[in-house]
Amino acid sequence: MRILRILFWTFLCLVVQVGEAQALTQEQMARLVAGDALVGAVESEASGGAVRVSLLIWAPVERIWDVLLSCERSFEYVDGLRRCEFEVEGLEFARVRQTVKKHVLLPTLDYLIEFNRVPFESIRFQRVSGDLKALEGHWTFRALDDEEAVLVTHEIRVQPSFPVPRWLVRRNMARGVPDMLYCLRAVVSGAPSAARETSDRDSCPSPASPG
């Protein structure tokens, strides 16, 4: 019964949340309940790309927020992060300076991002300045099954200020973003099983020293 309820509410929330006219299949809903991420709308542009990823996390939404709002903890799940510093820090609005080195073939990126938040419901972010032409997206959070699980959806569009091979863009979007969500779930201890907890932690980046 619990699985059926999660499947039902997952279906409703995803359709409403991402605005898709086409209903999810039973297989897709079962994958979410099993702990898999749903990856959709992977796009590659001339020098950038976009992706949307949804994942169920069995943890209180407050715990997820505590991690997402922390610069210190972002090193645990954001691959390539070298610096994270608040210029403005608040619950509903923040401005953050980040430095990222994602791949040996890519230069180090330094940029300033603004975050606008509706506590425990959504986070929208966009580039203010720095080494990217564009960086924007959002997080949304929907509590399911009497708040035993939270449906987390992350959508992001990135456009560097330099040419990037399309294969590298698609790889980073299709694999890197889901891995970040899997790792986030491990950080908040929100996996549906011990086996999934282990695989989630395997998705986490290797430790890197801040700065």
Side-chain angles (χ1 to χ4, degrees):
M1 180 62 69
R2 177 176 179 271
I3 291 179
L4 290 176
R5 291 173 64 190
I6 294 178
L7 288 173
F8 175 72
W9 285 108
T10 298
F11 167 75
L12 288 182
C13 287
L14 274 176
V15 170
V16 172
Q17 183 172 313
V18 305
E20 294 179 342
Q22 184 176 359
L24 295 171
T25 66
Q26 289 185 353
E27 179 184 0
Q28 288 173 317
M29 291 186 286
R31 285 177 54 201
L32 277 171
V33 174
D36 292 338
L38 290 186
V39 181
V42 179
E43 301 173 2
S44 56
E45 303 169 355
S47 61
V51 70
R52 182 182 64 247
V53 180
S54 295
L55 186 71
L56 276 179
I57 299 180
W58 282 262
V61 67
E62 293 84 358
R63 188 188 304 166
I64 301 170
W65 268 68
D66 285 346
V67 172
L68 287 176
L69 270 59
S70 168
C71 253
E72 182 179 358
R73 302 212 65 184
S74 61
F75 292 93
E76 298 179 43
Y77 63 92
V78 179
D79 187 28
L81 186 63
R82 296 294 180 266
R83 178 175 67 155
C84 182
E85 297 175 357
F86 282 104
E87 292 196 356
V88 178
E89 184 174 6
L91 179 61
E92 297 184 359
F93 176 82
R95 185 173 292 150
V96 180
R97 173 74 61 181
Q98 289 187 344
T99 301
V100 173
K101 177 69 171 177
K102 294 285 289 184
H103 194 278
V104 293
L105 298 178
L106 300 177
T108 299
L109 300 176
D110 184 85
Y111 46 83
L112 186 65
I113 317 173
E114 281 188 354
F115 294 87
N116 289 279
R117 309 172 178 130
V118 178
F120 313 123
E121 293 184 10
S122 65
I123 302 172
R124 293 194 172 274
F125 57 90
Q126 63 180 1
R127 167 198 174 274
V128 176
S129 62
D131 297 328
L132 296 169
K133 283 185 178 180
L135 172 62
E136 60 186 7
H138 65 263
W139 295 81
T140 56
F141 310 84
R142 299 288 182 112
L144 307 178
D145 193 39
D146 298 328
E147 301 185 1
E148 289 185 18
V150 178
L151 179 64
V152 178
T153 296
H154 180 47
E155 187 166 341
I156 184 170
R157 184 177 76 88
V158 179
Q159 186 175 7
S161 55
F162 51 87
V164 179
R166 284 182 178 269
W167 67 265
L168 188 56
V169 171
R170 292 191 65 85
R171 176 187 174 190
N172 189 53
M173 289 294 173
R175 293 175 53 185
V177 178
D179 279 352
M180 182 181 70
L181 266 71
Y182 285 134
C183 184
L184 173 64
R185 185 167 64 186
V187 170
V188 301
S189 301
S193 67
R196 180 61 73 169
E197 174 81 12
T198 299
S199 64
D200 283 353
R201 290 205 174 275
D202 288 343
S203 299
C204 292
S206 300
S209 299

